[in-house]
Amino acid sequence: MAKVAFWITAGPALADKALSNLVLAGRLKANRGQDVQVYFFGPGVELAGKADGPVLEALKTLGQEQVPMAACPFNADQYGVTATMTAQGIHMEPAGEALIRLVEAGYQIVGV
């Protein structure tokens, strides 16, 4: 089984770029049963925290598929989206801790 972590840094200006990876993460989990996680960092936190349309639908799908999602709490505070992200099931975890945890657990990091 593959272990893939999608590290989303693309913000609202690059929503389509991030969306393709969010959809792929959901499909890898749903169709192939792969071990997938998603982490939002920098502008990616704003994208997830203010999600609407297709991005919001992709986040809902990830939640339904029980794909673990986390985000940088410092960026969430910066963009004023902590409560929204927590309500979406996105866990707050500092970026450095998340990155080390994922690497030590053997995940391949896919950045967008």
Side-chain angles (χ1 to χ4, degrees):
M1 175 184 307
K3 295 173 80 169
V4 182
F6 291 86
W7 195 269
I8 307 294
T9 60
L14 299 171
D16 289 341
K17 187 173 184 178
L19 179 61
S20 63
N21 284 268
L22 296 173
V23 170
L24 178 58
R27 288 182 181 164
L28 286 172
K29 177 69 171 182
N31 299 337
R32 296 179 178 259
Q34 299 302 311
D35 186 345
V36 177
Q37 294 194 27
V38 175
Y39 188 85
F40 299 95
F41 184 62
V45 173
E46 182 180 23
L47 175 72
K50 297 178 180 178
D52 61 0
V55 172
L56 182 58
E57 290 305 312
L59 293 176
K60 287 179 183 177
T61 298
L62 291 171
Q64 291 167 352
E65 293 298 330
Q66 299 182 354
V67 171
M69 295 182 284
C72 176
F74 307 108
N75 292 150
D77 286 344
Q78 174 187 8
Y79 292 113
V81 296
T82 303
T84 302
M85 295 187 83
T86 302
Q88 292 172 330
I90 299 172
H91 173 74
M92 295 294 129
E93 180 180 12
E97 291 176 23
L99 184 59
I100 296 303
R101 175 183 57 80
L102 292 165
V103 169
E104 287 181 344
Y107 283 83
Q108 295 294 316
I109 309 295
V110 176
V112 61

